[in-house]
Amino acid sequence: MAKFVKKQNGTKYYEVDGYRASGIIPYFKRGENYYILVNSEIRSKRKLYHFLGGKVELKDRVIQETALREANEESGYLINSLVPSLYQMILKENKYIKIIKSKYISFLVDIESSVVRHWLNLPELFNKMFKNSNYELKHNESLRLDWKSLNYLASNIDKMSYLGKIIIYKLKKKFQIDSDSDCQFLDS
């Protein structure tokens, strides 16, 4: 069960299972390339790529619930029908990226093990539904969703959020892709 940690600038922060935030990283491999589902958000007055995820809320019982709730919100609830099977998948497969100092964990979701067509069409559906729309969803910070190659994201690292930069480095390491530069900001 989530517990209150602190209040800062009017925002309450909670923690569950030792983490303050969580998300999912849907991915697939084609040939030698890995493709990652990212969203675009405004962060520090800049449009940046980020991953589907966010902060723990008081109602979250386990960190996997945070990951799926946040991913569902940021995808415009378009993965709602997949949440039960995703929950079982992330519990069973137990693949994740941790960022210790930030108390963040993101679960890897290989869409080849899931409903591939739904995932592949997700950005197009999201972007059509929410582009130039007055319809706003609670907590939906995503401007758009896109499948981007891991190599593209790594070569455009300046377009990533801070946590996104760390996750890209860790994904390259996890997928055993040579990293051509050291990561000075690595947060174990």
Side-chain angles (χ1 to χ4, degrees):
M1 204 67 187
K3 65 178 182 175
F4 175 76
V5 176
K6 66 180 180 176
K7 186 174 183 176
Q8 185 176 3
N9 299 325
T11 303
K12 291 181 180 180
Y13 291 89
Y14 299 94
E15 190 173 287
V16 67
D17 299 336
Y19 298 99
R20 293 188 187 164
S22 184
I24 65 170
I25 302 174
Y27 74 95
F28 66 93
K29 187 176 182 184
R30 286 291 181 271
E32 297 301 311
N33 294 314
Y34 285 90
Y35 292 87
I36 312 293
L37 184 64
V38 293
N39 65 344
S40 300
E41 296 181 0
I42 300 295
R43 298 231 171 164
S44 304
K45 300 180 183 177
R46 292 180 52 214
K47 185 176 171 183
L48 298 173
Y49 292 121
H50 193 61
F51 299 96
L52 302 176
K55 293 189 282 282
V56 170
E57 292 184 2
L58 182 58
K59 63 184 170 191
D60 297 334
R61 294 172 297 173
V62 293
I63 200 63
Q64 292 86 351
E65 285 181 5
T66 303
L68 294 172
R69 177 186 48 74
E70 284 288 340
N72 201 18
E73 289 172 0
E74 293 191 7
S75 68
Y77 297 93
L78 297 175
I79 64 167
N80 198 51
S81 64
L82 302 176
V83 168
S85 61
L86 285 171
Y87 187 80
Q88 294 304 314
M89 180 189 299
I90 63 178
L91 284 177
K92 179 183 168 193
E93 294 183 6
N94 203 27
K95 296 179 187 173
Y96 51 83
I97 301 280
K98 287 183 184 180
I99 303 174
I100 309 280
K101 289 181 186 172
S102 299
K103 296 189 174 193
Y104 184 87
I105 187 168
S106 203
F107 296 94
L108 299 174
V109 175
D110 181 352
I111 68 159
E112 300 293 354
S113 311
S114 186
V115 185
V116 176
R117 185 177 300 152
H118 184 91
W119 283 107
L120 293 178
N121 293 329
L122 192 62
E124 182 180 359
L125 183 58
F126 179 91
N127 298 334
K128 281 182 180 177
M129 283 182 68
F130 296 106
K131 184 178 181 181
N132 301 323
S133 171
N134 293 330
Y135 184 62
E136 289 185 31
L137 296 169
K138 183 182 175 195
H139 303 300
N140 186 16
E141 299 167 350
S142 300
L143 300 173
R144 63 178 290 118
L145 298 178
D146 290 294
W147 284 105
K148 297 288 184 187
S149 76
L150 185 53
N151 289 332
Y152 172 86
L153 294 171
S155 64
N156 289 279
I157 203 79
D158 59 314
K159 294 179 181 176
M160 296 296 301
S161 66
Y162 174 76
L163 283 176
K165 291 175 183 177
I166 297 169
I167 291 170
I168 292 299
Y169 175 79
K170 289 188 172 221
L171 282 171
K172 287 184 80 168
K173 194 172 175 182
K174 188 168 216 62
F175 294 144
Q176 299 177 342
I177 298 171
D178 290 334
S179 182
D180 44 353
S181 62
D182 289 331
C183 186
Q184 307 95 335
F185 48 79
L186 183 60
D187 174 350
S188 313

